[in-house]
Amino acid sequence: MQTSVLLITFLAMGLVAVAFGYVVKRSGTRDEDYSTITRQGYLIRRWWMLALCAVGVLVSAWTLIPFPLQAAINGEARSVDVVAKQWSWEIESRSARVGETVRYRVTAADVNHGFALYGPDDQIVAQTQAMPGYVNELNVTFEQPGVYRVLCLEYCGVAHHAMTAEINVTEGP
Ligand SMILES: [Cu+2]
């Protein structure tokens, strides 16, 4: 992966250098009337700009509508208090059902921690800061059964790596 990225980078740099050299070689101090070319260029630029704006608006709308942090709550969410402290998690309930929405109310007892929830496939599902004096609410709708892991995502001292917990998600009503 790293090697491919390096090769692609060098290739792209080479292409830019060739294009640059070509332009420098072709440039001169000839006096010519460029007005038709300029007019054409401005026309292309205007339409290109409008097309890019349209694409930008469409892509933004398409990707922001299912905004992951504001996952819609279908019906009731169950509140679960979470307190982070050096170096463990105090989680009111360590189980949930598939399809259930849990509202984790996350705070910290000492220093800043990071509450991160990883799914059974080790992909991050949701995360929020755990801060003393604040309660951050994180709505999570569990979509697949299995063992979810809570890891601390904010370096909080020598045993930061040991700040883990498990949440069991099971199928059923
Ligand atoms: Cu921590």
Side-chain angles (χ1 to χ4, degrees):
M1 181 68 184
Q2 296 284 10
T3 320
S4 330
V5 170
L6 192 69
L7 284 175
I8 290 167
T9 306
F10 278 132
L11 196 70
M13 283 165 72
L15 283 175
V16 171
V18 167
F20 190 77
Y22 177 76
V23 169
V24 167
K25 196 162 176 285
R26 288 286 306 255
S27 69
T29 49
R30 286 163 291 158
D31 252 345
E32 281 178 40
D33 180 20
Y34 287 117
S35 59
T36 49
I37 298 172
T38 314
R39 205 172 312 122
Q40 210 177 9
Y42 283 162
L43 198 69
I44 293 170
R45 190 174 68 176
R46 187 186 309 141
W47 286 108
W48 181 236
M49 177 70 188
L50 286 173
L52 283 183
C53 285
V55 168
V57 167
L58 286 176
V59 168
S60 301
W62 180 45
T63 53
L64 283 178
I65 285 169
F67 198 58
L69 300 180
Q70 297 298 331
I73 302 170
N74 304 316
E76 280 295 290
R78 177 166 60 99
S79 279
V80 170
D81 286 344
V82 176
V83 182
K85 58 176 189 234
Q86 287 166 319
W87 287 279
S88 62
W89 295 101
E90 226 170 71
I91 304 173
E92 198 186 350
S93 161
R94 293 184 186 228
S95 59
R97 300 269 180 205
V98 173
E100 182 186 24
T101 300
V102 177
R103 179 179 299 129
Y104 290 103
R105 305 182 74 249
V106 183
T107 189
D110 37 39
V111 300
N112 270 29
H113 299 271
F115 176 86
L117 191 66
Y118 288 80
D121 51 3
D122 275 340
Q123 298 270 345
I124 193 163
V125 173
Q127 67 94 24
T128 189
Q129 283 280 305
M131 303 184 287
Y134 294 86
V135 176
N136 287 326
E137 293 192 347
L138 185 65
N139 297 319
V140 179
T141 305
F142 291 97
E143 273 156 18
Q144 48 175 322
V147 177
Y148 287 61
R149 288 194 304 153
V150 176
L151 303 181
C152 183
L153 276 197
E154 186 74 53
Y155 182 70
C156 57
V158 285
H160 158 71
H161 63 280
M163 260 186 92
T164 66
E166 286 184 353
I167 290 171
N168 278 299
V169 178
T170 49
E171 306 250 25

